[in-house]
Amino acid sequence: MEIINAQKIINKIEQNDARWLYDHFSESFQDISSFEELEKLLNRYNTLRSENVLFRHLNINRHDEYIWFDNKMATGASVTLNKYQEIIGMSLLPISHKHNVKQSKYQYTIPIKTSCLVYWGGDNELINFHYRFKQQRHALDLVKIKDGYTYKGNSNECANYYSYGLPIVAPANGVVEAIVDGIPDNTPGDINTVHPEGNYIIIKHARNEYSMIAHIKANSFKIEKGDTLLRGQHIANVGNSGNTPEPHIHFQVMKDKNIQVAQTLKIQFQNVTAPVKGDIVTYTGDQIMVNEKREPSKLTKGIRSNITHLFKS
């Protein structure tokens, strides 16, 4: 089996070597990606980029994901390999800059008291899958990792995931505005598109400022609508309900309690951190601690190839 590393991949991208890249796509990725599309994508990407710099290398569940931004933050690239060293995901994007992003009025902590990986988070689509949707743009997805895995044993059982059942805590003082409960957990790998948020809670923190935590375990709520909450108070447990391939926490702050129309706010955290994809975040009392912090504060739009998002090996 050919060993592929980050440098070889980015060299082939920069050399417009569509044939080598396509030949290293997995069969399933070739089925949804045309060679001609890849050629066009590489040509356009390479006319925009400057010198690439490796931003992150994530190894989760025997998948390697490499992320680059160029040194002018004009473009970004992401490639994911499976355990057989086949390319199962690729994204090449232009990065546009946006100023005056609306932030939350209040400062928050992460809604869990254990160290977690930020799987999706940041100010562009390359590192935050939610970014393309204004109702979720500044959301974070948090997942518990141990020794490079999100689970142990049979990956088809929720209970085997390290995130599953962990206590969820209030990210700031507030009042419970709404609770949706009773939606069963999915079998990992399956998703519920009818109820994408699954079980969730909305907390009012101030006028026109609400937080939402989604994919909660059914019948795990410790509080009720109308209850007053204190930061760090246990409110429920992590589940796998809704549009989610495996147990994790979805956390966002928004201007309205109606999740169908609300625009998210960029979350201000207690110690003025801005965690992004690949950061390890830890709750420490009224603050959070971030390891390996990076700050590519940009937006993305436009060209991209098919993106495969697979948590499981």
Side-chain angles (χ1 to χ4, degrees):
M1 181 171 62
E2 181 182 1
I3 303 301
I4 304 175
N5 58 31
Q7 193 59 53
K8 175 174 274 191
I9 294 170
I10 200 63
N11 285 346
K12 297 298 184 180
I13 290 174
E14 292 175 347
Q15 293 163 6
N16 280 336
D17 195 340
R19 175 49 58 193
W20 184 93
L21 290 164
Y22 194 79
D23 287 346
H24 285 79
F25 281 11
S26 68
E27 287 188 18
S28 59
F29 197 49
Q30 286 183 346
D31 288 342
I32 60 172
S33 307
S34 73
F35 178 75
E36 292 75 17
E37 176 189 303
L38 177 61
E39 284 188 308
K40 293 177 182 177
L41 188 64
L42 288 170
N43 286 330
R44 186 171 179 188
Y45 169 77
N46 282 313
T47 61
L48 297 175
R49 70 166 179 84
S50 54
E51 182 180 354
N52 283 307
V53 178
L54 183 65
F55 171 74
R56 284 283 154 88
H57 171 208
L58 300 179
N59 180 268
I60 303 173
N61 298 340
R62 300 184 72 181
H63 288 167
D64 287 284
E65 182 177 6
Y66 300 98
I67 302 170
W68 298 265
F69 290 104
D70 72 18
N71 57 9
K72 295 182 179 179
M73 283 302 296
T75 61
S78 172
V79 174
T80 303
L81 306 176
N82 64 16
K83 62 183 178 180
Y84 304 111
Q85 297 285 283
E86 297 171 322
I87 296 173
I88 59 171
M90 175 181 287
S91 183
L92 306 174
L93 294 169
I95 308 293
S96 61
H97 299 244
K98 184 174 181 179
H99 305 286
N100 301 319
V101 174
K102 292 183 179 180
Q103 295 188 324
S104 63
K105 301 173 187 175
Y106 282 77
Q107 294 183 333
Y108 297 82
T109 49
I110 59 170
I112 191 166
K113 290 187 176 181
T114 187
S115 296
C116 284
L117 174 84
V118 178
Y119 193 84
W120 292 118
D123 290 339
N124 63 71
E125 190 177 327
L126 195 67
I127 56 176
N128 193 352
F129 174 80
H130 310 102
Y131 200 81
R132 70 187 76 174
F133 312 109
K134 68 178 182 179
Q135 298 94 337
Q136 302 181 31
R137 181 157 294 159
H138 299 292
L140 297 176
D141 277 356
L142 305 172
V143 62
K144 180 72 176 175
I145 299 284
K146 289 185 181 180
D147 301 321
Y149 284 83
T150 61
Y151 65 92
K152 183 178 182 180
N154 185 352
S155 63
N156 293 319
E157 297 182 11
C158 284
N160 290 337
Y161 285 78
Y162 299 124
S163 298
Y164 190 72
L166 290 175
I168 297 170
V169 300
N173 296 349
V175 176
V176 180
E177 183 73 27
I179 288 176
V180 170
D181 198 2
I183 299 171
D185 290 320
N186 309 315
T187 299
D190 296 337
I191 57 174
N192 181 347
T193 57
V194 177
H195 304 286
E197 295 83 14
N199 304 305
Y200 66 88
I201 183 172
I202 295 176
I203 305 170
K204 183 176 182 178
H205 302 284
R207 183 183 179 187
N208 298 326
E209 187 155 313
Y210 303 81
S211 66
M212 181 182 78
I213 303 168
H215 310 314
I216 295 173
K217 184 179 180 181
N219 305 312
S220 71
F221 287 96
K222 313 300 179 186
I223 39 75
E224 297 178 350
K225 181 179 178 179
D227 284 355
T228 298
L229 303 180
L230 298 177
R231 184 191 307 277
Q233 180 178 341
H234 183 191
I235 56 177
N237 295 85
V238 178
N240 194 43
S241 60
N243 187 10
T244 167
E246 72 170 70
H248 72 280
I249 288 179
H250 174 101
F251 173 48
Q252 66 183 54
V253 175
M254 50 201 183
K255 296 173 62 177
D256 193 285
K257 63 183 178 182
N258 185 341
I259 59 177
Q260 304 304 321
V261 300
Q263 294 187 19
T264 55
L265 301 169
K266 186 173 176 63
I267 304 170
Q268 289 196 77
F269 287 97
Q270 282 286 76
N271 52 347
V272 201
T273 58
V276 300
K277 181 180 177 73
D279 285 337
I280 303 296
V281 291
T282 304
Y283 182 104
T284 57
D286 283 341
Q287 296 187 338
I288 64 170
M289 181 173 62
V290 178
N291 296 331
E292 300 181 336
K293 178 174 173 292
R294 309 286 179 92
E295 295 185 1
S297 299
K298 312 293 182 286
L299 308 173
T300 62
K301 62 181 180 180
I303 57 173
R304 60 189 170 93
S305 70
N306 294 298
I307 301 172
T308 301
H309 171 209
L310 299 172
F311 275 110
K312 299 194 298 179
S313 62

